[in-house]
Amino acid sequence: MTKIDDVARLAGVSTATVSRALRGLPTVSAATRRRVLAAAEQLEYAVSPSASRLAGGRTGTVAVVVPRITRWFFGVIVETVEEFLHQAGYDLLLYNLGGRERIRQRVLRTANLHKRVDGIMLVATPLRPADLTALGALDLPGVIVSSGTGVPGWPCVRIDDVAAARTATRHLLDLGHRRIAHISGDPDDELAFTTHLDRRRGYRDALRAAGLHPDPSLDVESQFTIDGGTRAAEELLRRGDPPTAIFAACDEMAMGAMTALREAGLRVPQDVSVVGIDDHDLAGALGLTTIAQPAAEQARLAARLLLDPLGGRVLDPLAAPAGDGPPGIPVILPTRLVVRESTAPPRAH
Amino acid sequence: MTKIDDVARLAGVSTATVSRALRGLPTVSAATRRRVLAAAEQLEYAVSPSASRLAGGRTGTVAVVVPRITRWFFGVIVETVEEFLHQAGYDLLLYNLGGRERIRQRVLRTANLHKRVDGIMLVATPLRPADLTALGALDLPGVIVSSGTGVPGWPCVRIDDVAAARTATRHLLDLGHRRIAHISGDPDDELAFTTHLDRRRGYRDALRAAGLHPDPSLDVESQFTIDGGTRAAEELLRRGDPPTAIFAACDEMAMGAMTALREAGLRVPQDVSVVGIDDHDLAGALGLTTIAQPAAEQARLAARLLLDPLGGRVLDPLAAPAGDGPPGIPVILPTRLVVRESTAPPRAH
DNA sequence: CTGAAAGCGCTTACAG
DNA sequence: CTGAAAGCGCTTACAG
């Protein structure tokens, strides 16, 4: 493999000049740069990342940490960030936590990310005090997407989960529902994150604002998955006196709940209305009413907030968004209610 | 940050010994190893990846290339491979092609992967002759998942796409269908891969075996997405005299087709039966009959085939599968028909 | 604008 | 089993 010395020799300059020319530093004459570029091309020279990192201290790599890439929201985030990062010349190191607590520790504790990346994107990642200490010790720039815990000095991009849940619940209230169940995340989950707490709060807020008392027997905790939604809905039905409507904390849970309802012989929305949050790819196919959240926009904005301080050569920078506050103050992106066929007024008794 | 010299000093040995002890090389006495490990722990030492790579020539990183991580199959592959790689001590560099032809070139051509990874996993990636040349020049071990083009010397893990399609089609034939449509991939797609060609072949084989002539007007090309399925089904309906059954080349297309059928006022399966391939997460929720393929197993096996030659310290090696042939001969994993509610006999006329 | 030289932090023969 | 020394292939002050 050709190395920088070969290029230097062919171009008739020093390796320092080759290095400068190839990286586009301004302190190189146009003629020299041309010669260097030609030589590099002719030799098909590619810089050695390890050597460049060791000497220069930059890794050109960003770590992206998600709970489960197979969930719709996280898939969209990673896909969008990947494009953005590669356009900006960065590599993407993927960490899929997948509920494996030990791996999560390994990722977040100093050792693994140490000197491995220039920046970190944490998506819906729950942080304990020890994690925060470890991240602080890393002394790297980072960005938070979608709630989870905040890190001092890191910007955060998210939606207003409380408001989204409130809107979903109010939609059901407006249709005339009074027995509205809620399916949400399991606080005992090792990877519990704050999202489900906020969404439960919005649900309760909306009920109270309508003069209703949240009924604990209508509030079921489960996993943020299709299966979790199915099991939660089964549990609800087992309790007897089923609700006339269900607000699930995410679309995947809502879809799982729809399956359970159908298996139980209940029709959606005639017998039970269902609403979720996300606007999942398949929400349309299933006719699911939901609160749409802008996943790709959150990803793009977060990537930009991360790369800007890194001096990333972003090819297609976004216009500065209105809500683009200083680091630490979360940037809140808007959500919107999308009414489909899974919600309707309750049947008259 | 502490470096190897600090550890060497504290342990009272040379840096060479620290390096050996930390990597578990056998040529270190037990007592020395203990002292080194204690010193490293006390100083919270973490090896610098760049320095280690430059000196050692190994990157401890694997590139995983997928067409679109948001598609069910690719999401499962990445999630499974990620766990396997991290357990084995490797980092995962993610490349999501996303239909961006230029990026694909950048990834596959020598420069980018050069000295950046120890191995490559190509998932359903179409390769041109120039790509094959570039991969050959990289001189790295690799593995292919799910068809696409083969690379000389690289093992390949996949299902038998022809057989899977034949089974799906025969299921419809067995139910009594004769007007069976097929929705498949777009050969003009920049990222066209071979999967859809094999699946079409299986479809036609099954029809011919039943004494039927494949009808071009029942064969629609589209994208391997939900949307693609919807558009293809709309096109089918537009042609008049609709089929009594549709075999879609993947579950996402099948789901999209179901949406289009519903919107057109047709019931599944009473008016039109639908079958896909995959056994997508939501196939159950939608009652979709499909040919299940073992995504996670393909991923695990491929990861193992890639890591073994790399000497990866795999913590939980799989038992050697029966079909584990020598590199170059594809390992074919079994599929199975899962009958749900989306298929039924055609209505009597 | 350019070059000589030091240095980034490891690993690897080589010698003992 | 262990160490001294060279070397991996770049980048970065520093000097000119």
Side-chain angles (χ1 to χ4, degrees):
Chain A
M1 300 282 85
T2 69
K3 27 202 208 180
I4 199 168
D5 309 73
D6 304 321
V7 180
R9 204 171 310 119
L10 180 57
V13 296
S14 71
T15 60
T17 297
V18 173
S19 174
R20 293 185 190 110
L22 256 29
R23 280 177 300 144
L25 297 191
T27 61
V28 179
S29 77
T32 304
R33 186 185 309 277
R34 252 195 310 278
R35 252 185 310 138
V36 170
L37 291 178
E41 175 139 7
Q42 181 180 336
L43 298 174
E44 293 189 307
Y45 171 71
V47 60
S48 155
S50 325
S52 171
R53 288 166 192 188
L54 179 57
R58 293 180 64 259
T59 67
T61 306
V62 166
V64 176
V65 181
V66 295
R68 294 206 64 176
I69 194 140
T70 43
R71 282 196 44 206
W72 172 82
F73 181 71
F74 304 126
V76 174
I77 296 285
V78 170
E79 179 161 293
T80 309
V81 168
E82 193 270 358
E83 171 154 22
F84 199 95
L85 288 180
H86 279 163
Q87 272 199 80
Y90 282 85
D91 276 337
L92 189 165
L93 228 44
L94 178 69
Y95 294 91
N96 182 72
L97 300 184
R100 292 158 289 137
E101 180 67 2
R102 284 168 314 170
I103 304 232
R104 168 168 159 280
Q105 288 180 4
R106 229 200 53 213
V107 171
L108 291 179
R109 299 293 146 84
T110 316
N112 196 48
L113 250 25
H114 188 53
K115 303 169 192 162
R116 206 170 286 264
V117 298
D118 295 334
I120 305 174
M121 178 179 295
L122 252 32
V123 186
T125 305
L127 264 25
R128 310 228 181 99
D131 300 323
L132 286 173
T133 308
L135 284 175
L138 279 176
D139 197 29
L140 284 173
V143 64
I144 304 276
V145 180
S146 176
S147 91
T149 320
V151 177
W154 287 15
C156 171
V157 181
R158 46 175 300 177
I159 60 168
D160 183 336
D161 288 297
V162 179
R166 211 186 290 127
T167 304
T169 310
R170 200 155 46 201
H171 168 62
L172 297 171
L173 288 165
D174 288 349
L175 287 169
H177 292 278
R178 286 299 172 270
R179 282 187 61 73
I180 301 173
H182 180 48
I183 299 178
S184 188
D186 177 1
D188 291 335
D189 184 343
E190 282 186 318
L191 286 179
F193 51 116
T194 56
T195 308
H196 75 278
L197 296 177
D198 286 345
R199 293 185 183 174
R200 169 168 294 125
R201 187 139 68 85
Y203 159 73
R204 291 184 181 160
D205 284 358
L207 291 184
R208 291 203 193 90
L212 298 175
H213 271 295
D215 176 350
S217 77
L218 291 179
D219 197 334
V220 188
E221 296 183 338
S222 193
Q223 308 279 87
F224 263 61
T225 59
I226 298 167
D227 238 45
T230 302
R231 284 197 304 273
E234 288 168 352
E235 168 64 22
L236 270 174
L237 297 177
R238 211 174 294 125
R239 292 181 184 173
D241 194 8
T244 64
I246 296 176
F247 159 47
C250 76
D251 280 359
E252 276 131 337
M253 295 178 118
M255 292 170 180
M258 287 169 82
T259 312
L261 292 170
R262 198 185 51 188
E263 306 244 303
L266 294 169
R267 291 160 306 162
V268 175
Q270 293 88 336
D271 300 313
V272 182
S273 286
V274 176
V275 60
I277 291 183
D278 270 346
D279 203 16
H280 186 288
D281 260 357
L282 277 164
L286 286 157
L288 178 64
T289 295
T290 190
I291 309 292
Q293 70 165 316
E297 283 70 17
Q298 289 178 77
R300 266 193 292 272
L301 184 50
R304 198 174 69 81
L305 289 174
L306 180 62
L307 255 44
D308 273 358
L310 294 182
R313 39 189 178 86
V314 179
L315 302 183
D316 180 25
L318 298 174
D324 186 8
I329 299 181
V331 181
I332 307 289
L333 261 43
T335 56
R336 70 174 206 290
L337 173 67
V338 178
V339 179
R340 296 203 178 89
E341 297 86 53
S342 68
T343 49
R347 273 186 304 182
H349 292 285
Chain B
M1 302 280 83
T2 68
K3 28 203 208 183
I4 200 169
D5 309 75
D6 304 321
V7 180
R9 205 173 307 118
L10 180 58
V13 296
S14 72
T15 60
T17 299
V18 173
S19 174
R20 294 186 190 109
L22 257 30
R23 279 177 301 144
L25 297 191
T27 61
V28 179
S29 77
T32 304
R33 188 186 307 278
R34 254 195 310 278
R35 253 186 308 142
V36 170
L37 290 179
E41 176 139 6
Q42 182 180 334
L43 297 175
E44 293 189 305
Y45 171 70
V47 61
S48 156
S50 325
S52 172
R53 288 166 192 188
L54 179 57
R58 293 180 64 258
T59 66
T61 306
V62 166
V64 176
V65 182
V66 296
R68 292 207 66 177
I69 191 135
T70 43
R71 281 196 45 206
W72 173 82
F73 180 72
F74 304 126
V76 174
I77 295 286
V78 170
E79 179 161 293
T80 309
V81 168
E82 194 269 358
E83 171 154 22
F84 198 95
L85 288 180
H86 279 163
Q87 272 199 81
Y90 282 84
D91 276 336
L92 189 165
L93 227 44
L94 177 70
Y95 293 90
N96 182 72
L97 299 183
R100 291 158 288 134
E101 180 65 3
R102 285 169 314 169
I103 304 233
R104 168 168 158 280
Q105 287 180 5
R106 228 198 55 212
V107 172
L108 292 179
R109 300 294 145 84
T110 317
N112 196 48
L113 251 24
H114 188 53
K115 303 169 191 162
R116 206 169 287 261
V117 298
D118 295 334
I120 304 173
M121 177 178 295
L122 252 31
V123 185
T125 305
L127 264 25
R128 311 228 179 98
D131 299 323
L132 286 172
T133 308
L135 284 175
L138 278 177
D139 197 29
L140 285 172
V143 64
I144 305 276
V145 180
S146 176
S147 90
T149 321
V151 176
W154 288 14
C156 171
V157 181
R158 47 175 300 177
I159 60 169
D160 183 336
D161 288 298
V162 180
R166 213 186 288 125
T167 305
T169 309
R170 200 155 45 202
H171 168 62
L172 297 170
L173 289 164
D174 289 348
L175 286 168
H177 292 277
R178 287 299 173 270
R179 283 188 60 74
I180 301 173
H182 180 47
I183 299 178
S184 188
D186 177 0
D188 290 336
D189 186 342
E190 281 185 316
L191 287 177
F193 51 116
T194 55
T195 307
H196 76 277
L197 296 177
D198 286 347
R199 295 185 181 174
R200 169 169 294 126
R201 187 141 66 85
Y203 159 73
R204 291 184 181 161
D205 284 358
L207 291 184
R208 290 205 193 88
L212 298 174
H213 271 295
D215 177 348
S217 78
L218 291 179
D219 198 333
V220 188
E221 295 183 338
S222 192
Q223 308 279 90
F224 263 61
T225 59
I226 298 167
D227 237 45
T230 303
R231 284 196 304 271
E234 288 168 353
E235 168 64 22
L236 270 173
L237 297 177
R238 210 174 296 124
R239 292 181 184 174
D241 193 8
T244 65
I246 297 176
F247 160 46
C250 76
D251 279 359
E252 275 132 335
M253 294 176 119
M255 292 170 180
M258 287 169 83
T259 311
L261 292 170
R262 198 185 53 191
E263 306 244 304
L266 294 169
R267 290 161 308 162
V268 175
Q270 293 90 336
D271 300 314
V272 182
S273 285
V274 176
V275 60
I277 291 184
D278 271 346
D279 203 17
H280 185 289
D281 260 357
L282 277 164
L286 286 156
L288 177 64
T289 295
T290 189
I291 308 292
Q293 70 164 317
E297 282 70 18
Q298 287 178 78
R300 267 193 292 271
L301 183 51
R304 196 173 71 80
L305 290 174
L306 180 62
L307 255 45
D308 272 358
L310 294 182
R313 37 189 177 87
V314 179
L315 303 184
D316 180 26
L318 299 174
D324 186 9
I329 298 181
V331 180
I332 307 289
L333 262 43
T335 55
R336 72 176 204 288
L337 173 66
V338 178
V339 179
R340 296 202 178 89
E341 297 85 56
S342 68
T343 48
R347 274 185 303 183
H349 291 286

